[in-house]
Amino acid sequence: MAEVESEKAIQAGCPLWDLNGVDMTDNGSESTGNLKQQYMISATSPEVLFTQGMNVMNLLMYDGTNVGRFKASDELLQLYSKYSGEGITDLRMTGYFSVSRKKSDCYFSRKTSVLAKDIKAFDAFVIRSAEAYLNKAEAQAMQGKSEAIQTLKTLLENRFENGEIPTSIDGLQGENLVRFIREERRRELCFECHRWFDLRRYAVCEKYPEKKEVRHALYAPATVSNGMGVYEGEYVLKPYGEDAAWLMPIPDYEITYNKGEMKQNDEREERGIQ
């Protein structure tokens, strides 16, 4: 079903933006946050099929003193250099991120502009063409179809410099291919509100289950103006099945309507700093 519906969407019109011909580099013209000439999530992006809501990441990741308390994780950023040893350059590293003007090892998601006057598409709820290709490839891989590799290549040739993609993809099959696709979803759809739902989906996947622990570092406010925060520890979410916070409480009216047949999810414990 997912493969068929994804193909319908692609045939209806899901153009991919070739990043080889797009200038998404930082121009450094904004004192509180680098600007780009073009953004993946914008009114001019051919990949944006639907958008509504508001922009979130330009507020959560920002060099301003009163906002901007988050940055992209090192674990995520390392995925974009994973194939650099093969002489391959992932254009999304410069296209989807900007480096902090205050700390050179901090990167912010920049799929949309930080300037309110330029924002016409929103990262809080957006549907892009790339997701159709990823959905189709995952559905094909789960069925053991080798066509998943060509579906992936169609996307990747638009994301790597000169269309040179990782050679290792050709030998992938089974669980290894599915894991590659999951990793590619993380690279492509980061900060578009997919990751949390993907992690829960992978955890309950019967064929290739994947569970992980999530750690978020916590910093106290800086002690001096424009200074860096003070590390206090981490909030830890244990893997699915070991932590009640993966599941939302079921509304009481649903339990009443189902005459008690539906069991309430376990209540999450108060989370302390580790």
Side-chain angles (χ1 to χ4, degrees):
M1 177 65 74
E3 179 187 2
V4 172
E5 294 304 317
S6 297
E7 179 59 22
K8 286 181 181 179
I10 292 171
Q11 291 301 319
C14 285
L16 292 172
W17 210 0
D18 187 352
L19 299 191
N20 284 282
V22 182
D23 183 6
M24 291 185 177
T25 56
D26 292 343
N27 63 23
S29 63
E30 175 73 9
S31 62
T32 55
N34 287 315
L35 299 178
K36 298 178 181 294
Q37 294 295 329
Q38 295 173 293
Y39 296 88
M40 176 53 76
I41 301 176
S42 65
T44 58
S45 171
E47 292 199 14
V48 174
L49 305 177
F50 179 83
T51 178
Q52 71 173 25
M54 64 176 292
N55 266 11
V56 176
M57 294 307 155
N58 62 332
L59 298 177
L60 295 179
M61 300 183 180
Y62 197 61
D63 271 328
T65 56
N66 296 320
V67 292
R69 294 293 181 258
F70 297 89
K71 68 180 183 69
S73 71
D74 294 337
E75 180 184 5
L76 171 61
L77 295 175
Q78 288 166 5
L79 293 179
Y80 296 95
S81 60
K82 185 171 183 177
Y83 303 101
S84 59
E86 301 179 30
I88 296 173
T89 301
D90 193 326
L91 298 172
R92 291 171 293 194
M93 183 62 203
T94 54
Y96 292 176
F97 298 91
S98 288
V99 65
S100 167
R101 303 289 291 275
K102 296 181 179 179
K103 200 169 188 294
S104 61
D105 62 347
C106 289
Y107 286 80
F108 302 146
S109 171
R110 280 296 173 268
K111 290 183 174 180
T112 62
S113 176
V114 297
L115 301 180
K117 67 181 182 64
D118 295 334
I119 297 174
K120 302 294 189 298
F122 312 100
D123 58 24
F125 192 100
V126 61
I127 299 176
R128 287 200 292 118
S129 299
E131 186 185 354
Y133 287 88
L134 289 167
N135 289 349
K136 181 182 177 182
E138 184 177 351
Q140 291 172 322
M142 292 295 288
Q143 297 175 81
K145 294 183 177 181
S146 60
E147 293 92 330
I149 293 177
Q150 185 53 52
T151 301
L152 267 180
K153 285 183 175 181
T154 302
L155 171 63
L156 298 184
E157 287 168 355
N158 290 276
R159 297 299 184 255
F160 286 84
E161 191 172 58
N162 299 322
E164 298 178 0
I165 65 177
T167 57
S168 57
I169 187 177
D170 288 314
L172 296 177
Q173 58 184 332
E175 185 172 4
N176 289 332
L177 177 55
V178 170
R179 289 189 180 276
F180 182 94
I181 295 170
R182 290 174 179 177
E183 193 173 86
E184 184 56 32
R185 282 186 67 88
R186 189 177 186 190
R187 277 189 286 260
E188 179 63 34
L189 302 176
C190 64
F191 303 111
E192 295 181 32
C193 302
H194 289 276
R195 182 63 174 165
W196 173 245
F197 300 100
D198 280 347
L199 287 175
R200 298 202 302 173
R201 185 164 59 85
Y202 303 156
V204 298
C205 175
E206 293 183 1
K207 192 170 186 178
Y208 301 124
E210 181 181 345
K211 301 179 182 182
K212 69 169 296 178
E213 181 178 80
V214 179
R215 291 178 172 269
H216 285 169
L218 179 69
Y219 293 82
T223 56
V224 296
S225 178
N226 291 327
M228 300 305 299
V230 181
Y231 178 74
E232 290 191 331
E234 294 180 314
Y235 281 123
V236 179
L237 178 67
K238 291 180 288 188
Y240 184 94
E242 301 177 29
D243 198 313
W246 286 94
L247 300 177
M248 298 290 288
I250 299 173
D252 290 338
Y253 62 80
E254 290 289 353
I255 295 176
T256 300
Y257 181 81
N258 286 276
K259 301 179 180 179
E261 293 297 321
M262 184 178 290
K263 181 183 177 182
Q264 180 61 271
N265 292 323
D266 294 336
E267 185 176 352
R268 61 173 291 175
E269 299 178 357
E270 187 69 25
R271 200 168 306 277
I273 302 173
Q274 297 187 12

